[in-house]
Structures are given as structure tokens and as C-alpha cells.
Amino acid sequence: MKFTLSPQFYSKRNLWIAWILISLIASIHRALLLHDYNNYLIFSRPFFILLQGGDVYLPHPELFYDLYRYSPAFALLFAPFSLLPDEIGVVLWNLLNSVVLLAGIFSLFSSESDNKKVFYFLLIIFFESLTATQNCQSNNLIAGLILLGFSSMEKNKPFASSLFVALAGFIKIYGIAAAVMFLFYPKKKSFIAGMSLWTTILVVLPLTVLSWGNFLNTYHSWYLTVSVAKTAIQLSVMGILQAWFNLTPPSLYIQLAGLVILLLPFLRTNLYSTKEFRMCVLASLMIFIIIFNQMSESATYSIALVGTAVWYFNLRKPNYIDVVFLVLVLLLASLSPTDLFPRYVREHLIIPYKLKALPLILLWVKIQVELWGMKQKGVE
């Protein structure tokens, strides 16, 4: 007897309830039981530092560990959470991330009949998304904003799209890369005008609490912090080159080469009207901003897993090779840090050889091949 789940199981309501419950449980466990939310403190405390005219980019070990590397505007936008008790703020912050991400995923699909795809989409990203939630990271929010920016442009709403993309960029700089996709759409001037407006607002927002001198010093400190961070090498193409071949070429050269490869398919202007092409570029971009970012760590891979799911559900008819790539991504990029792999394997193979990055690098290469093999009516 064949077992099948009813369509009601995949209803939008059920998916929303399940996703929010998972976020709430993970957040409550982190905030109320473990009392371990340093990443949240990195986001929330700079608001008060700015109010006092201090430099948010200096070490503040009395408030949080590590450094604040986000924009000055983000510190102010975080105010509604900063003003709350930490335990409540952690739960609401994670909830915002989860809601925006799921809203972005739903925006990619057009009908109730696609809810089953959304369910499996969530399964693909589940572990990485949960990791980001448990660590109070912003990566689910970034992924959701990029998806909403893309979907808004698809729906001929360039002004809304520019807002989502600008917000993503002012949380993490690489989020601004999603702006390049405006080239696919007719209302280019509206998008540029929207980006100019939102960028200006977000840039000058700190002037509401800072003097002009402190404003300039704050942006200078941000620049210096980001510049120093560029010297690190973690789960990236650069990390693979270093770990496997002991090669340490300047990261900028590798990133520029990757950027050229990413943008070359934009020369295929005859495919701009093909949604499969646009979706494939979206997947390519979301993976690119992680695997070519030398600061990428495990929690940031939730963005790349969203890109993987976008790629897989954009395929008209996945073949066994596609399934193999998906399985490799799930095993190495998503599950390799878990107890599914013995500790010895994790400590002596996966971590030192940065195997978490490998399947996504290979998948990104495969996506480039697919982009160049597309026909105007889709993939053949």
C-alpha cells in the first residue's frame, strides 16, 4: 500500500506554523536555557555605543566578544531589539530572520500547488538555517531579502526590490551584489532611482544621533575594520587553494576572476526574458557571495544552501547527476559539522581541508555550464 501525504500537509498555513515553531524553540533554548547569544550582543550593543558617540568598531570586551563589522545604519535599525530585554530580543530577532526567509521562499512560487516544493526547499536548507538561528546570525535575513528583491523585480516592483537589496547590503556588504540582476528587467531607471534613494537614507541615518565629525570617523573605522577582515581565509575558494595546494594568491585576484565568470552569462541578453535563466543566475549569485568571500564561516552557508535549493527547483527535470550534486551539498556543506560524521573525520579531514566549501564550488561551476547551455525556451 502506497503511503502519500494529503495536500493539506503542505498547506501554506502548516508550513508557516512549523517554521515559526522551529525558530521559537531554537531561540528560546539559546536565550533562556543556554544564555549564550554573543552574536546577538554584537548586533544590539552598538546602538548604545553610537548614542554615546563612541566608536562601535573598536573592541568592547565588556559588552561582547569579537568585533562589530556591520554598517552604522544597521546598528540604528537594530534599535527596536536593542531596547528590549536580551532574552526577548533574541527570540524576536530570530523570528524576524525566519519570517523574512520563508516569505522570500514563498515569493518564488506562484500557486498553492507549489507548496510541496516549498516543503522540500525547506528540507534542503533546514540544518544550515537552523544553525544560523541557533547562532543568532543575520544570514537567514540576508537570504530572504535577496529572494524578496528578486521576486519584487519579477513582479515589476523595482522600488520595493531596491529597498530589499539596499537593506541586505547595509547588513552585510556582499548583499548588495543582488543589485546586478536589475539588468534583466525593463524598469532599470526606477530601480537605480530607488537604490540611490535608499542608499542615501541608510548612509546618512547615523547623522540622527552623531555629530558630523563622529559620523565621518565612524565610516572611516568601518572601512578599516572591513579592510582588516579581508586578510582572513576561511570556507572559500581561497581556503581550498590554501588547504589543498598551499597556495595563497591575493584574494582580490581570485574574487575578480570569480566575478568575471559570474557576470559573463549577462552577455546572453537574448535569455533575459527566460525565467529559468534568471533563476539560475540568482542561484549562481547566492552561492558566489559565499564561496568567494574569504570571511565565510559555517553559519553563513545558509545563504549558499538557499542558492542550492533555488538551483534545484529551477531544473525542469533533474537527472541523476543533479541529484548527486544535491546529495553532496547536503552531506558535506550542510551535515558535515554534525555527529553524522565521526569526530575523527571532522577534525582530520572536513575541517582542515575545508570540505564544507568543496561541493558548493563544484556546484557553482556546474551552474555556469548550465547557464551557457541554455536555450531561449529553457534548458534542453
Side-chain angles (χ1 to χ4, degrees):
M1 182 177 182
K2 187 177 180 181
F3 175 77
T4 58
L5 294 170
S6 69
Q8 184 61 28
F9 177 83
Y10 304 106
S11 70
K12 183 176 289 190
R13 175 178 174 273
N14 285 349
L15 293 175
W16 271 110
I17 291 173
W19 194 246
I20 289 174
L21 279 176
I22 291 168
S23 176
L24 287 174
I25 292 170
S27 302
I28 291 171
H29 177 260
R30 175 66 63 174
L32 299 182
L33 297 181
L34 299 181
H35 300 285
D36 179 12
Y37 41 80
N38 182 66
N39 285 327
Y40 175 80
L41 298 179
I42 293 174
F43 297 148
S44 66
R45 295 304 184 261
F47 169 69
F48 301 107
I49 297 171
L50 278 183
L51 289 183
Q52 296 167 5
D55 190 337
V56 298
Y57 299 102
L58 292 176
H60 295 277
E62 74 285 2
L63 299 176
F64 50 82
Y65 302 110
D66 208 347
L67 295 175
Y68 179 78
R69 294 188 175 91
Y70 304 84
S71 74
F74 180 58
L76 291 179
L77 293 174
F78 210 86
F81 303 100
S82 301
L83 295 171
L84 295 171
D86 287 338
E87 290 78 6
I88 297 175
V90 167
V91 173
L92 293 180
W93 164 244
N94 281 337
L95 190 59
L96 172 66
N97 276 258
S98 297
V99 166
V100 172
L101 175 56
L102 186 52
I105 294 169
F106 269 119
S107 73
L108 297 178
F109 299 95
S110 57
S111 67
E112 286 289 326
S113 62
D114 290 324
N115 287 345
K116 188 174 181 179
K117 291 182 179 180
V118 174
F119 173 76
Y120 287 108
F121 193 114
L122 293 176
L123 284 184
I124 290 173
I125 70 171
F126 178 78
F127 287 103
E128 287 304 305
S129 177
L130 182 61
T131 298
T133 299
Q134 290 173 326
N135 287 283
C136 303
Q137 290 279 9
S138 61
N139 302 301
N140 290 335
L141 178 60
I142 299 295
L145 289 172
I146 290 174
L147 295 183
L148 288 171
F150 173 82
S151 298
S152 295
M153 193 63 76
E154 288 283 310
K155 296 170 184 175
N156 205 26
K157 298 177 180 178
F159 198 68
S161 176
S162 64
L163 173 60
F164 294 131
V165 173
L167 286 172
F170 272 79
I171 298 173
K172 288 194 173 181
I173 293 176
Y174 55 68
I176 204 72
V180 72
M181 298 196 70
F182 88 100
L183 293 171
F184 294 150
Y185 304 95
K187 294 187 176 181
K188 295 178 178 60
K189 291 182 180 179
S190 296
F191 182 86
I192 293 172
M195 282 296 296
S196 300
L197 174 64
W198 297 122
T199 299
T200 301
I201 290 174
L202 291 169
V203 166
V204 303
L205 185 62
L207 276 174
T208 59
V209 298
L210 295 176
S211 66
W212 179 250
N214 279 347
F215 173 81
L216 295 178
N217 288 335
T218 295
Y219 272 97
H220 180 65
S221 292
W222 184 30
Y223 168 76
L224 293 177
T225 300
V226 173
S227 298
V228 170
K230 287 181 179 179
T231 62
I233 295 179
Q234 296 194 44
L235 294 169
S236 62
V237 172
M238 293 75 75
I240 289 283
L241 290 175
Q242 183 186 62
W244 286 42
F245 309 106
N246 199 29
L247 296 175
T248 55
S251 294
L252 179 61
Y253 295 166
I254 304 298
Q255 291 166 334
L256 287 176
L259 182 62
V260 170
I261 296 172
L262 174 76
L263 296 179
L264 276 175
F266 282 76
L267 295 174
R268 306 196 68 190
T269 55
N270 62 309
L271 291 179
Y272 283 11
S273 61
T274 304
K275 186 171 184 179
E276 288 87 353
F277 177 78
R278 300 193 300 272
M279 290 280 286
C280 201
V281 171
L282 173 64
S284 172
L285 185 143
M286 296 189 78
I287 297 173
F288 167 84
I289 61 179
I290 301 303
I291 64 172
F292 284 93
N293 177 7
Q294 71 271 24
M295 289 299 294
S296 288
E297 54 189 1
S298 185
T300 61
Y301 268 63
S302 59
I303 298 173
L305 264 291
V306 171
T308 299
V310 170
W311 161 75
Y312 188 78
F313 287 104
N314 185 50
L315 297 170
R316 292 198 171 191
K317 191 176 181 181
N319 56 40
Y320 75 93
I321 296 178
D322 299 321
V323 174
V324 167
F325 268 87
L326 178 62
V327 171
L328 285 175
V329 169
L330 291 176
L331 285 177
L332 289 178
S334 186
L335 296 174
S336 61
T338 71
D339 290 337
L340 181 66
F341 288 78
R343 176 179 293 181
Y344 181 89
V345 174
R346 296 199 306 269
E347 293 181 353
H348 292 84
L349 288 175
I350 292 171
I351 294 175
Y353 289 100
K354 305 187 186 298
L355 294 183
K356 186 179 179 76
L358 180 62
L360 283 162
I361 294 171
L362 296 176
L363 175 59
W364 189 74
V365 172
K366 183 179 189 298
I367 290 174
Q368 307 316 306
V369 174
E370 292 176 357
L371 283 168
W372 286 100
M374 281 189 183
K375 307 293 183 181
Q376 193 162 7
K377 292 184 179 179
V379 182
E380 295 188 352

